[in-house]
Amino acid sequence: MALDLELRKGYLGGTDLAAISGLSDYTRPGDVWLEKMGQRTFTGNAATEMGQDLEPVVAMRHGRKFGVTLLELPPEPIYHPEHPFIAANPDRIYADRKRVLECKTASEEQLYGQESPWGEDGEPGRVPLGYLGQTNHYIGMTGFEDAYLSCLFLGRSRIQRDYPIPFDRDLYDLMIQNGVQFWRTYVETRIQPPVELFSPEMAMKAVAMKARLEEKKAKALESTPQVEAWAQHYRELSDQIDALTGKKKLLAAAIGGWIADQGGTKVKHSLGSFTFKQGDEK
């Protein structure tokens, strides 16, 4: 469903609420604020354009698989009855029951990666957290019972998996609460959120800009025992992270070597699966 980008500035949708609640891997609350302030407009990229183009295909394949009729809603958002700045734009709904269908596309690399958030076909709720929050929001906003998230994975196999999404009332209420607080605290007042609420890229840009503005009047400060303690703790954590990263790489190499020795490409285990891709000798 293609959304009116100008209209979207006036409300928080499912993807916005997922970001504000810390569920998104791609967007942070500060980035949502920039969009609502008109300072950053995301018009899409190749991936989102492909997702929009293939949405009818994903819906058609889902309907054919389950033998159901799906309805496309009008383009106007569904607004929250108490908070008009919160809305929802579901992709499809079932014609014969109160169920939402959310259509997605992703790459096969995302599906088969070692830390893939995607579960097996039909596994309830085994989708990326941002999508889980977004779809749960649509269930709550429509007053429906549950949802399906159907994802077409682009690659050689072009498989499509369908994930039941049960309604989580606590998660829905929390996302609404977070959205109300965010809107009233930052959007209505036009006060910029703290830098830590921005994505790493935007946060670094904000820090760099502030540093340039303050450069002329900047001055070196004398360290204090508290600062020294912070610095020491920071170094210790950095060393621990480096050590753990090294151990993780060694484990990955051991698992990959075992898979290769067995003549396979993938091994399933109790927590998911590992996929081995043949690299160069180095």
Side-chain angles (χ1 to χ4, degrees):
M1 178 186 297
L3 302 180
D4 186 327
L5 297 179
E6 191 63 32
L7 181 63
R8 271 189 58 85
K9 293 180 184 178
Y11 67 84
L12 298 172
T15 54
D16 298 326
L17 292 174
I20 291 168
S21 300
L23 301 177
S24 175
D25 291 330
Y26 306 104
T27 309
R28 297 294 185 269
D31 306 320
V32 175
W33 181 84
L34 287 176
E35 292 181 358
K36 303 311 174 185
M37 294 297 101
Q39 298 183 30
R40 179 188 183 190
T41 302
F42 179 68
T43 57
N45 53 33
T48 58
E49 183 178 342
M50 179 69 73
Q52 290 179 359
D53 291 343
L54 292 178
E55 180 185 308
V57 177
V58 175
M60 179 271 293
R61 288 164 60 97
H62 177 87
R64 183 172 60 193
K65 175 180 177 180
F66 291 96
V68 298
T69 300
L70 299 167
L71 303 177
E72 184 174 4
L73 297 175
E76 293 79 15
I78 300 171
Y79 289 95
H80 193 280
E82 298 179 18
H83 309 295
F85 49 84
I86 293 178
N89 302 87
D91 289 336
R92 300 288 191 280
I93 62 172
Y94 273 46
D96 61 345
R97 63 173 298 175
K98 293 182 177 181
R99 172 174 288 167
V100 173
L101 174 66
E102 180 65 13
C103 302
K104 299 293 184 184
T105 57
S107 67
E108 285 190 349
E109 287 78 7
Q110 292 173 302
L111 175 62
Y112 294 123
Q114 289 188 2
E115 298 180 358
S116 173
W118 297 97
E120 299 295 333
D121 185 42
E123 196 170 355
R126 280 297 305 278
V127 301
L129 286 179
Y131 292 164
L132 182 66
Q134 177 188 0
T135 307
N136 191 75
H137 174 64
Y138 295 158
I139 302 172
M141 288 290 289
T142 55
F144 284 3
E145 299 169 351
D146 55 16
Y148 255 98
L149 188 147
S150 187
C151 186
L152 175 62
F153 294 93
L154 305 178
R156 291 184 178 181
S157 60
R158 292 184 291 277
I159 65 173
Q160 185 164 330
R161 291 185 177 181
D162 299 278
Y163 302 92
I165 308 294
F167 181 49
D168 187 332
R169 166 60 67 177
D170 291 337
L171 176 59
Y172 171 73
D173 290 342
L174 178 62
M175 291 176 64
I176 294 295
Q177 177 183 337
N178 290 342
V180 171
Q181 182 178 0
F182 180 85
W183 187 271
R184 292 176 175 168
T185 304
Y186 302 116
V187 179
E188 288 183 348
T189 62
R190 303 187 71 84
I191 295 176
Q192 181 173 315
V195 69
E196 59 266 22
L197 295 185
F198 288 82
S199 62
E201 178 185 359
M202 295 305 299
M204 289 303 295
K205 287 182 179 179
V207 170
M209 182 179 296
K210 183 177 180 181
R212 287 197 299 271
L213 294 175
E214 298 291 333
E215 185 176 3
K216 292 184 179 180
K217 56 181 181 179
K219 63 178 181 179
L221 300 176
E222 292 294 332
S223 180
T224 67
Q226 179 65 75
V227 173
E228 293 295 334
W230 287 338
Q232 181 63 33
H233 191 199
Y234 181 91
R235 175 58 62 85
E236 292 172 355
L237 291 175
S238 297
D239 292 342
Q240 292 175 23
I241 291 173
D242 291 341
L244 291 173
T245 300
K247 291 180 180 179
K248 182 179 178 181
K249 290 181 179 179
L250 289 174
L251 284 174
I255 295 170
W258 183 87
I259 295 174
D261 291 341
Q262 303 301 313
T265 58
K266 182 177 182 180
V267 59
K268 293 185 177 180
H269 54 86
S270 61
L271 300 179
S273 63
F274 290 106
T275 301
F276 171 71
K277 294 184 179 180
Q278 183 67 47
D280 57 28
E281 292 183 0
K282 180 178 178 181

